[in-house]
Amino acid sequence: VAFAANGDSFSTDPRGTSQWSFDWQFATSADSDTLAPVIIEGPEVVARDKIAVLEWVTDVETTGKVFFGTKGASYGTADEFSVSDLASDGSPIFSHEHIVTLAGLDPGTNYQFRIESTGFNGKKVTFTPGAAAKLAKAQQPPGGSGSFVTDSDPDTQRPVILTGPTV
């Protein structure tokens, strides 16, 4: 550094090029994060006979929770189920991408679900079947309407390993 004034500096690189480098300062509010998270992708559901996998993406890191039940019966009642996106030690996972597996489902059954994602600031976004109906007329991915139907036929297809193990 050849010259510095008020935090700005005049420098020369190894090739002899000189330029000013300005230091800019800014301050953030103590209440910096007051916005609720937004679901920016999904939800998308892949359903088989006894399981369903729900995936969605949020704009900031959040926890994920899925509430589900049978359409017209347990959904929206005290009997509905919930599954959280948790680490192996049981602690919540904060992530942009969420994948929640629902197991023990009945084949050939219509299920409804809602998703809650909560950010570090405690604000949450909720995706419900009613909210899905208000979305633009764009074609929705499977499950994008807030419901899915499990397959009636058993899933007998063996899994396909797409990549080998890595060390």
Side-chain angles (χ1 to χ4, degrees):
V1 174
F3 177 76
N6 296 332
D8 298 335
S9 60
F10 185 75
S11 61
T12 305
D13 68 15
R15 293 184 180 161
T17 307
S18 299
Q19 69 180 28
W20 278 98
S21 174
F22 300 99
D23 292 339
W24 297 96
Q25 297 179 1
F26 63 93
T28 59
S29 164
D31 303 322
S32 62
D33 191 7
T34 60
L35 300 175
V38 175
I39 296 174
I40 58 173
E41 274 185 44
E44 185 170 350
V45 179
V46 176
R48 298 290 186 251
D49 60 336
K50 295 181 181 180
I51 68 165
V53 179
L54 286 81
E55 297 184 41
W56 71 97
V57 178
T58 53
D59 64 335
V60 295
E61 290 185 340
T62 61
T63 61
K65 191 170 192 176
V66 177
F67 297 87
F68 69 100
T70 52
K71 188 173 183 176
S74 63
Y75 178 76
T77 70
D79 292 331
E80 74 181 358
F81 300 96
S82 67
V83 177
S84 295
D85 193 10
L86 300 175
S88 58
D89 65 359
S91 63
I93 296 175
F94 280 88
S95 175
H96 289 277
E97 298 177 4
H98 300 277
I99 301 173
V100 175
T101 302
L102 310 179
L105 304 177
D106 294 326
T109 304
N110 193 340
Y111 288 91
Q112 282 192 298
F113 66 90
R114 74 178 179 279
I115 293 171
E116 286 184 1
S117 285
T118 306
F120 284 111
N121 63 0
K123 304 278 184 180
K124 70 174 67 172
V125 60
T126 303
F127 174 91
T128 64
K134 295 177 185 176
L135 294 176
K137 295 181 180 179
Q139 187 169 357
Q140 296 297 309
S145 63
S147 65
F148 62 92
V149 178
T150 52
D151 291 339
S152 296
D153 298 324
D155 182 7
T156 58
Q157 181 178 353
R158 291 190 166 99
V160 177
I161 299 172
L162 299 176
T163 61
T166 56
V167 179

